[in-house]
Amino acid sequence: MIPVEGVENQTIAVLGLGRSGRATVAALTAGGANVIAWDDGNDTREAAAAEGVRIVDLTRAESWHEVTALIASPGIAHLYPKPHPVIAQAYALGVPVDNDIGLFFRSYANEDWSYFDRAPRIIAVTGSNGKSTTTALIHHVLTECGRPAQMGGNIGTGVLSLEPAVDGEVVVLELSSYQTDLARALTPDVAVFTNLSPDHLDRHGGPGGYFAAKRRLFAEGGPDRAVIGVDEDQGLYLANQLGMGPSDDRVIRISAGQKLDRAAWSVFARKGFLSEYRKGRQAASIDLRQISGLPGAHNHQNACAAYAACRAVGLAPRQIEAAFHSFAGLPHRSQLVAEIGGVKYVNDSKATNVDAAAKALQAFSHIRWIGGGLGKEGGISDLQPYLGNVTKAYLIGHSARDFALELGQTPYEISDTMEQAVRQAAADAEPGDTVLLAPAAASFDQYPNFEKRGEDFTRLVRALQDS
């Protein structure tokens, strides 16, 4: 646990008592704060109270006496589409609102660091797609290379549940736009921006607000090094804003398709090869084609981002390359579940938006595509250029029929459920085909989250193996 600094004897309110909220209560208490808490769910409040959390109804004005700060969980709206009533009350009273990420950045360093030979570092990863894989890959490389490392944030352990730093440690954080948008302190040593595509637009008041939330990671704290994906206009803009000219190597530009040989420092992937360039000269190259845990161009972008971040903290190219080969990938992200009768079954349930699904569709050929769920604004018309690899689509969930209207000439079936889709795709598939779950939609119509959706797909595929 990371005890929160600077809160001794203060009354701090916590809103939201899920995983991060309960960890925040514990870390504030360890820092000497008097903690009161609230959650809209009665069952959640009762469970927290049973653990000793002091529950106070923050919707009532009299509850705010002596409260010096409100710490909100990331899933709670603080601005768009409108602030949660408790957060609106804090704004009206002038009570500062923060989240666990802000508390972590202001509390991670402590007096023990003066005795370390090598100061700990923080690598923070944000973007629309690839954050989790990039974060996990960086952590894997560091660990394989013998560097002490922890991973947390939006993946793995909540930030305040991480262990205090040890000499030379690197903490790798995945940070969502919900987390970066509200945090009052953001000071990573290395900040990574993977890419940007429309997502969570209701929570950020549109695409500009969404990008602004991501940009805060770079603008607020001024990282020593910034790793920026420049395959979209927003990344190009961000790299331009942070760099002081062509010779400034504090910005490492990355790409999954462009040759970047004019910047002071760049890493890019083309035709399955990763290249690092320094001051116009190639410094290293890695053949990514045989790395089974990183299939497809979208994972090659993740590899570029992870490689650049690891180089920024001093690892050598050959160390990184060796560690890449032992990376198994993450569940629900281009995860090879099985190969049955020459047919591959791939679980990319995390492809919850059109951009992520497009990347998955480009990574494989002869695809039996399982798509659908709770569709997002804009539909799937932007997938049209990538449907050439799709032999047939099997559509599930709430938006199955809406998706069907946007498939053009691509053959499809309305399967409705995952079980029907897997059964139909398996019956139709021929050796060399890939049955790919890449929904291009949220899961909430049939599953509580994308993980449960991917687990159901995996269960059904395993049953095929056993039959």
Side-chain angles (χ1 to χ4, degrees), residues 34 40 53 57 106 164 171 182 205 215 246 267 297 319 340 350 445:
N34 169 35
D40 291 336
V53 178
D57 187 350
R106 85 184 204 197
V171 168
L182 190 59
R215 184 178 179 272
V267 180
Q319 289 179 294
I340 306 170
K350 184 61 170 67
D445 56 333

Side-chain angles (χ1 to χ4, degrees), residues 220-284:
E220 295 297 314
D224 296 334
R225 282 254 156 65
V227 176
I228 309 292
V230 294
D231 288 335
E232 295 91 27
D233 288 343
Q234 293 89 346
L236 283 168
Y237 166 81
L238 185 57
N240 184 272
Q241 287 279 296
L242 296 172
M244 297 301 292
S247 63
D248 187 355
D249 67 358
R250 293 174 301 171
V251 178
I252 308 176
R253 291 166 170 81
I254 64 167
S255 172
Q258 306 176 58
K259 185 176 182 179
L260 304 175
D261 57 358
R262 295 186 179 182
W265 196 349
S266 62
V267 180
F268 59 89
R270 295 181 72 200
K271 299 180 179 179
F273 286 86
L274 179 153
S275 297
E276 177 189 3
Y277 270 69
R278 303 287 296 269
K279 298 180 179 178
R281 295 185 178 183
Q282 187 168 353

